[in-house]
Amino acid sequence: MSAFELDFFESGERRRQPLGLGWSTRFESADPVREFRWAKGGGSFPGWYYAVTTGNHVGYESWLERDRLLLLDRDPLVVGIASQPFWLHWHDGLRKRRHAPDYFVRLADGRARVVDVRAADRMDEPTREAFAATRRACAAVGWEFEWVGAPDPVFMANMRWLGRYRRTRSGRPVDVAARLVEVFRDPAPLWSGAERVGDRLRVLPVLFHLLWSGALGADLEGELLGTESLVWAKGWSGWAS
């Protein structure tokens, strides 16, 4: 642990501490250590994503990072997400190095996970070295480390669509949600099942929210969602009114 230092914001103040002292910081609530800026003609596409998991906006620096945020936001095990939570400093034997991981994730059971996002075809030696150092630092304090690349394109296209209906309001009226789960107890095509519940303009947003939340299931990896996509109920515990 003495080989690494953490540089981060806490209560609006910049701090730099040895890893052994700073690891217990609630980094899922930390402010980013660098700004998300868009430059004309630049090769990146930064922005802010509203995460229903946290109830606030989380920054990203590329579309690939945005896609990963979407998947983290849908993961029922994830209860906290922060982007660019700290600078990790170390010396590689030749020079001083630093790396800001893309995300710090808190899981429901209290575990911590550091996530770096980079497509496999964009991995170079300095990046591999930075990820390897980050993995060692995480192992020293009991955090998980995960490098993730590009997700399956079909699955991600479906997630981008369903993500439009991620907010709780899309899952209401509650009676429509309950009726959809009842209708899809027996698997049925998306379009015809929605029609059995009521007017599609009223029903489809609720249906898509249930697919997002996991109350309804469909083959999201094998094909793009369409009118004939088979939908089924995966479980129902009711929604808060």
Side-chain angles (χ1 to χ4, degrees):
M1 284 190 279
S2 62
F4 298 97
E5 290 187 337
L6 296 171
D7 179 2
F8 57 95
F9 286 105
E10 186 176 40
S11 301
E13 295 185 6
R14 193 71 174 259
R15 300 184 184 277
R16 182 162 173 167
Q17 297 178 341
L19 177 63
L21 294 178
W23 72 272
S24 59
T25 301
R26 304 296 294 187
F27 286 112
E28 67 270 28
S29 303
D31 292 330
V33 292
R34 60 186 185 191
E35 296 182 0
F36 301 94
R37 293 181 176 178
W38 181 87
K40 185 176 181 180
S44 62
F45 299 90
W48 294 91
Y49 168 88
Y50 179 80
V52 294
T53 297
T54 62
N56 57 32
H57 289 84
V58 182
Y60 59 86
E61 293 185 305
S62 68
W63 286 342
L64 191 60
E65 289 184 19
R66 179 206 57 189
D67 286 349
R68 184 55 49 179
L69 265 179
L70 195 70
L71 298 180
L72 290 171
D73 200 19
R74 187 176 185 253
D75 189 337
L77 297 179
V78 173
V79 297
I81 314 168
S83 55
Q84 311 287 337
F86 53 78
W87 286 106
L88 180 69
H89 293 264
W90 74 98
H91 198 286
D92 67 2
L94 296 175
R95 60 191 176 92
K96 294 180 180 180
R97 300 283 300 274
R98 72 173 186 171
H99 172 61
D102 293 314
Y103 299 112
F104 185 94
V105 176
R106 182 69 63 182
L107 304 180
D109 61 4
R111 287 178 295 150
R113 180 180 297 161
V114 173
V115 179
D116 267 314
V117 184
R118 182 65 65 93
D121 60 1
R122 295 194 60 198
M123 290 287 285
D124 54 20
E125 191 59 29
T127 301
R128 291 189 181 91
E129 292 172 354
F131 286 6
T134 305
R135 186 183 296 276
R136 291 196 302 273
C138 289
V141 294
W143 296 342
E144 298 176 0
F145 174 78
E146 185 178 24
W147 162 54
V148 292
D152 175 79
V154 172
F155 178 70
M156 200 63 238
N158 284 326
M159 286 298 98
R160 293 187 197 110
W161 175 261
L162 295 179
R164 302 176 183 185
Y165 303 92
R166 63 187 181 273
R167 291 172 173 81
T168 304
R169 63 173 179 265
S170 295
R172 298 190 171 95
V174 176
D175 61 326
V176 173
R179 177 62 178 149
L180 280 167
V181 172
E182 180 182 346
V183 163
F184 287 110
R185 294 287 184 197
D186 295 321
L190 184 151
W191 204 249
S192 61
E195 285 184 324
R196 289 172 58 188
V197 176
D199 177 59
R200 288 197 302 267
L201 289 177
R202 184 169 183 255
V203 171
L204 285 175
V206 184
L207 191 158
F208 292 141
H209 178 78
L210 296 180
L211 284 169
W212 163 267
S213 69
L216 295 179
D219 181 7
L220 301 175
E221 296 182 1
E223 61 180 9
L224 295 176
L225 279 173
T227 59
E228 297 303 314
S229 295
L230 199 65
V231 176
W232 58 86
K234 296 179 67 176
W236 176 247
S237 58
W239 292 98
S241 58

